[in-house]
Each structure stands twice: as structure tokens, then as C-alpha cells.
Amino acid sequence: MGFNDLLEIVGGLGRFQVINTTVLLIPMLFLACHNFLQNFSAAIPTHRCWIPGVDNSTITYNQSHLAAFIPLDEDQNAKSCMRFTNLKPFSWTNGTLKKDKEVCKDGWVYDRSVFSSTIVTEWDLVCNHRKMRQVAQSIYMAGVLAGAFVLGSLSDRFGRKAILTSSCLTMAVSGTCAAFLPSFVTYCFFRCLGGMALSGIVLNTISLNLEWTAPKGRTLVGTLFAYGFTCGQLILAGIAYGIRDWRWLQFSVSAPYYIFFLTSWCVPESARWLIINGRTHQALRNLQRVAWINGKREEGEKLSEKILISHMQSELNNMKQAHSPLDLFRTAGMRKVTICLMLVWFSTSFVFYGIGMDLQNFGVDIFLLQFVFGCIDLPSKLAGAIVMSCIGRRVTQAASLMLAGVAVLCNAFIPKEMRMARLVLAVLGKGSVASSFCCAYIYSSELFPTVIRQSGMGVVGMKARLGSLVAPLVLMLSEISPLFPPAIYGVAAIISGTAAIFLSETSNQQLPDTIEEVEAR
């Protein structure tokens, strides 16, 4: 007997699961908005140096006038970070202007035809300060990493619902503060808090969904969870298209969490967690409430605290056995599984955010590209699920990573003028890595034994967060050569795809419960 038997008694796939899953997954729609928000809030518009005496006057000037003040590139466009020295208004009429160059000293003029305001135009994050926009995204991802490390253990101690509720409130408040406080430092600080809150929402949404759903329904719930994140990318494209000011865009994707904070109080705490932590009376009330909603009121009334404890006795005994994350590396079999999965998760997240956070580089309408990148995840995750069922986990994991790596690597050597070819390869790479993400969640949970499954998922999850943190920093290497970022992303994916070949196949096999079972494979 176990908790799954209790779920079957009160209804493991009924009206309650539909309501509970809906309430929990709606906030997921806006999490992807926060992850990819800087594609729009930190977009870099066309810019040039401010020209004293001209830009503060009412005189209209054209491109030929700019040639007297600002050097032009080979396409006859004004350079972004240089101007001529000894500037004098209207000096193009006498032809005596000195042609020495200097960096912009009086600020910049921005093209506001696409975005009325971004953090780049707000704090002049261009030229020598251009890297700060990537630093801001990495600080946000560092918050996601810290949240996964801290809030995961706190949810085991204080409960899934308490951390979910507090994370929703933190996301709402931190997003509002990031939108309206005046300095770049405060923006980065509250974005970091928002990243931590995102981890709290994700971790506890998964736990509360799966722990209230019968095993035969968990695949469907897991798929809906993945599609919630995908749909969020589509929502972001629409919101960003309608709101071109970064402050109101930031607020618009954060404000719904005030509502989600209130709706999260309706979600019952995990009965499994309550029983394990000795709160059987509250667990009994929650199970009886679920039974009533699912039309099994009589079955719920027959339950008692003694019955709950008897069903959970084996799990309570397993909790008493001493296991630690070090068990992931003690034996040869576990060490191979853990290291290979760490590479898979790091590279999957690394490439996913490397491609997704550099939309301006493709020279295509950024709103359309965000929508396309979101749409490609829909068939990619479905295809990944089908291939996993027909061919197996190992081939799917290895092939999806290798295909993504090859697509991204080829993109490094295609000229920017061939926009359609670059876009096709980028979409192929993004779709392949989305399929890799879908496979990694299932494959990893089937490879780790029950006694240390949560520890294993926590370790590989942290590697994924590390990959998302490093991905924006790698984009800085484009200042040295535009070949570096896609080459690094591509090689990392190919290496990790190769590592996945050395893992065991788990399709249609029983889940391992002990480390000894993993070693026996």
C-alpha cells in the first residue's frame, strides 16, 4: 500500500484534478514572459552620438547632415559610438571640419520607432556599457539558480503551498519594483528576486500537480506543464507588441501574480507531505475534501488517520534511511548516470536560452520571431514524446541534442544577408532543444533510483540553471567575433548528445528503487 492507493480511493483523476491543475498551470503562462522579457525590455534600438547644437534645436536634419558630425560605416549609416571632434553646428557648409574621432561624450540619440523605451535607452547601455544588458539577464538567472537551491529545501520543510504562495507575492512585488524604481542597480536586484520567485513557483507547481494526480495521469499533467511554458512565449510576443515601453511591459507581466497570490490559497497542501511531516489530521481533511469534489464522499468519510498512516508506512520507513546527494557519485553506475545527465541538462538550458535571448541578431521582426520560436516548441515537444515512446529515451535525448548542436553550429557560418536560411536553422535548433528538455525531465526521473531521485533531480536542475546563467554571458563574445557564441553553443550540445549515448535505456522498464538496481543495469 502507498499514497497512490489513497488517491485511488478519493479519485486520482477526477473533477478536483482538473480544477487543481488549471489553477496551478495558469501562473505558468507568465513565467516564460519573465524568462524572455529582456528580448524586448532590453532591446537595443538604432542609436548614434548626441550632437550639441543640432539635436537640441528644432532644425530638421537628414543623413547628409550627419556625415559632417558622425563617421559613417560601409552602408552609409551613422556609427553608433563615435563622432568627429571639434563639433560646430552647420559646419558642413564650409568644409573645414576637423576629422579626428572621439567617443560619444554627450549621450546618444535613439530610434524610438519600434520601442518607445527600453532599459538600454533608459540607462544608456550601449557602446562601452553594452555588456551590462547581458549582465542584467545573468543576474536574473543567478536568482533562478539561488531560488532552486534555497526554495527547494524550504518547500520540503515548510510545505509546497506556503512557498508557492509566498513566491507568487514575491514575483508580483519584485516585478513592480523593477518596473518603477529609478536605477539600474535596483532593477537588477529586484529582477534577481523575481528569478528566485520563479524557481519557487516552478518547483512547487510541479510537486502539487504530481502529488495530487494518479500515476496514469502524470504524463498528461507533465505535458500540460511543458506546454504552459511554451504558450507563455506566445503570450509575451502579443503583450510586447502592444506595449512598447519597458516599464509598463515589466509591470504587465508581473501584476497578474497579485491575483495568482490570492488564487494559490485555494490550492490544498500536498496530503503526502502532510502525512510524512506528522500532520495527518490536516491531510485527512484535504483528502476528504478531494473525495467530495470527485463525487466520492462516502469513500472519503471512511478514511481515518490510522488508515492514512498504514498506507504510508513504507514511505515513512524509507524516510528514516540515511541517504545524501553524495550517493549520486559513490558508485560507478550512479557516477556515470549523474555526470552524463549533468552535461545533458547544462547544455539543453545553455543552448535554449542562448538562442532564445538573442532574437535581434537574426535581423527579422523581433515580435514575429518570438511568436515563431514559441510555436515551434508545440510540435517539437509532441514529436519528442512520440519518438520517446516508439524508439526510446536514449536515442531521443542524444539525437535532439546533436541535431540542435549541428543546426546552431551551421548558423555560425551563414552570412547575415541570408536571413531565411539563418531563421530556418535557428528554428530547427530551438525546436530540437525544446524536445531535449521534454525528454530530459522524463528520462532523468527514470534513471535515478527512488531513494535519491529528488536529490538527483535537484542536482541536474541546478546544472540547468547554471547553463541559463552562463548563456547570456557567452553572447558578450560576439564583440570579439560573431562566430564565437553559436560555435560554443553548438559544440556544447554535440558533446552532451554524445554523453547521452552512454546512458541506459529506460523505456517500458520498471523504475529503479535502490542504488543497487542502478548498478545492476
Side-chain angles (χ1 to χ4, degrees), residues 12-72:
L13 284 175
R15 189 182 300 112
F16 166 79
Q17 280 70 26
V18 173
I19 297 172
N20 192 58
T21 300
T22 302
V23 172
L24 286 169
L25 291 187
I26 289 177
M28 290 295 301
L29 297 176
F30 288 87
L31 290 186
C33 295
H34 283 270
N35 275 354
F36 294 104
L37 185 63
Q38 280 204 191
N39 275 330
F40 305 96
S41 65
I44 304 176
T46 304
H47 55 281
R48 60 169 176 80
C49 294
W50 178 277
I51 305 172
V54 173
D55 287 323
N56 58 3
S57 69
T58 58
I59 298 176
T60 302
Y61 58 91
N62 55 33
Q63 187 72 19
S64 62
H65 294 166
L66 289 179
F69 298 99
I70 297 177
L72 304 180

Side-chain angles (χ1 to χ4, degrees), residues 237-248:
I239 296 176
Y241 184 81
I243 303 175
R244 306 298 180 92
D245 182 283
W246 79 268
R247 291 188 182 275
W248 288 108

Side-chain angles (χ1 to χ4, degrees), residues 388-467:
M388 274 191 291
S389 300
C390 298
I391 300 178
R393 279 53 160 151
R394 179 172 58 180
V395 173
T396 305
Q397 189 71 78
S400 59
L401 274 171
M402 288 184 178
L403 182 59
V406 171
V408 175
L409 198 57
C410 290
N411 226 346
F413 300 98
I414 296 180
K416 287 192 174 182
E417 293 74 22
M418 300 176 64
R419 293 181 178 179
M420 187 53 64
R422 286 171 56 82
L423 178 59
V424 169
L425 284 173
V427 168
L428 177 62
K430 175 71 161 48
S432 298
V433 81
S435 178
S436 175
F437 249 136
C438 186
C439 181
Y441 276 104
I442 298 174
Y443 198 17
S444 300
S445 64
E446 292 175 342
L447 283 167
F448 288 123
T450 301
V451 293
I452 52 172
R453 183 167 292 129
Q454 288 301 101
S455 297
M457 294 299 290
V459 168
V460 297
M462 288 183 64
K463 281 296 177 182
R465 305 307 178 195
L466 182 61

Side-chain angles (χ1 to χ4, degrees), residues 28 31 197-207 225 441 465:
M28 290 295 301
L31 290 186
L198 180 138
S199 285
I201 295 170
V202 169
L203 291 172
N204 293 286
T205 295
I206 294 173
S207 295
F225 176 84
Y441 276 104
R465 305 307 178 195

Side-chain angles (χ1 to χ4, degrees), residues 236-518:
L236 175 61
I239 296 176
Y241 184 81
I243 303 175
R244 306 298 180 92
D245 182 283
W246 79 268
R247 291 188 182 275
W248 288 108
L249 177 60
Q250 173 78 44
F251 177 73
S252 296
V253 298
S254 302
Y257 283 94
Y258 288 110
I259 299 174
F260 301 148
F261 165 70
L262 298 177
T263 58
S264 66
W265 287 93
C266 302
V267 176
E269 180 58 90
S270 166
R272 182 181 184 277
W273 179 86
L274 290 170
I275 297 170
I276 289 175
N277 286 272
R279 296 163 62 177
T280 53
H281 180 67
Q282 185 178 348
L284 178 61
R285 282 191 296 144
N286 286 354
L287 285 167
Q288 289 175 338
R289 175 186 172 193
V290 171
W292 178 75
I293 295 174
N294 284 337
K296 295 190 174 184
R297 186 171 183 174
E298 292 183 5
E299 290 85 342
E301 290 177 348
K302 294 178 182 178
L303 294 176
S304 66
E305 293 185 37
K306 289 184 179 180
I307 293 176
L308 266 56
I309 294 174
S310 66
H311 275 74
M312 294 287 291
Q313 196 61 54
S314 61
E315 296 190 37
L316 291 170
N317 291 336
N318 285 332
M319 292 293 293
K320 296 176 183 178
Q321 298 177 4
H323 288 285
S324 74
L326 293 177
D327 291 325
L328 295 167
F329 302 94
R330 291 189 197 279
T331 59
M334 281 306 312
R335 194 158 48 242
K336 182 182 75 171
V337 168
T338 303
I339 292 174
C340 289
L341 287 178
M342 286 167 65
L343 288 171
V344 166
W345 279 79
F346 175 86
S347 292
T348 300
S349 183
F350 181 59
V351 178
F352 184 83
Y353 288 103
I355 299 175
M357 289 304 303
D358 195 28
L359 300 188
Q360 281 191 300
N361 186 48
F362 294 101
V364 181
D365 182 82
I366 190 172
F367 306 102
L368 176 62
L369 192 54
Q370 177 67 60
F371 184 80
V372 170
F373 270 20
C375 286
I376 192 60
D377 282 8
L378 297 172
S380 298
K381 291 177 178 178
L382 178 60
I386 294 173
V387 174
M388 274 191 291
S389 300
C390 298
I391 300 178
R393 279 53 160 151
R394 179 172 58 180
V395 173
T396 305
Q397 189 71 78
S400 59
L401 274 171
M402 288 184 178
L403 182 59
V406 171
V408 175
L409 198 57
C410 290
N411 226 346
F413 300 98
I414 296 180
K416 287 192 174 182
E417 293 74 22
M418 300 176 64
R419 293 181 178 179
M420 187 53 64
R422 286 171 56 82
L423 178 59
V424 169
L425 284 173
V427 168
L428 177 62
K430 175 71 161 48
S432 298
V433 81
S435 178
S436 175
F437 249 136
C438 186
C439 181
Y441 276 104
I442 298 174
Y443 198 17
S444 300
S445 64
E446 292 175 342
L447 283 167
F448 288 123
T450 301
V451 293
I452 52 172
R453 183 167 292 129
Q454 288 301 101
S455 297
M457 294 299 290
V459 168
V460 297
M462 288 183 64
K463 281 296 177 182
R465 305 307 178 195
L466 182 61
S468 65
L469 188 156
V470 175
L473 299 179
V474 172
L475 292 175
M476 296 181 185
L477 297 177
S478 61
E479 303 289 335
I480 302 173
S481 170
L483 294 178
F484 282 167
I488 293 172
Y489 295 138
V491 170
I494 292 172
I495 291 174
S496 298
T498 304
I501 296 174
F502 295 96
L503 294 169
S504 302
E505 181 56 64
T506 60
S507 180
N508 298 320
Q509 295 186 18
Q510 187 173 349
L511 291 178
D513 290 320
T514 65
I515 294 175
E516 288 73 19
E517 291 180 48
V518 175

